Amino acid sequence: MVWGSEAVHTLGARFFPRPAGEDPRVAPQDIPEFIEEVLLLQDNVESIAAHMDSPKPIAQRTGEMAGRLDNILAAAQRASQIRGGVQIW
């Protein structure tokens, strides 16, 4: 699992390091911090991808993760606008 990996945990992520099968849920009041965390992961996406146990090339893993993080960031920004929360699955 990418989001619960040691590479993500080592960055100091608070919302994403979850046990397998547990989806991150972010309360409305935590959205600003969550957005900062997503930006942190985006800044380190190549390093995170390099630590994944996957047969895919690192460039492919990086691209896939970057796309997911873009979607997560967009959802968090929309949630911020309406003072809502986010659940990632």
Side-chain angles (χ1 to χ4, degrees), residues 2-17 24 33-49 62 65-66 68-70 72:
V2 174
W3 306 129
S5 72
E6 185 63 28
V8 171
H9 182 73
T10 300
L11 291 171
R14 176 180 139 208
F15 297 100
F16 280 95
E33 288 179 64
F34 180 70
I35 289 172
E36 290 299 317
E37 185 166 306
V38 174
L39 294 171
L40 173 69
L41 297 180
Q42 285 181 320
D43 288 345
N44 292 279
V45 71
E46 289 180 20
S47 174
I48 296 166
T62 299
M65 287 178 52
R68 288 185 189 131
L69 288 168
D70 288 345
I72 292 168

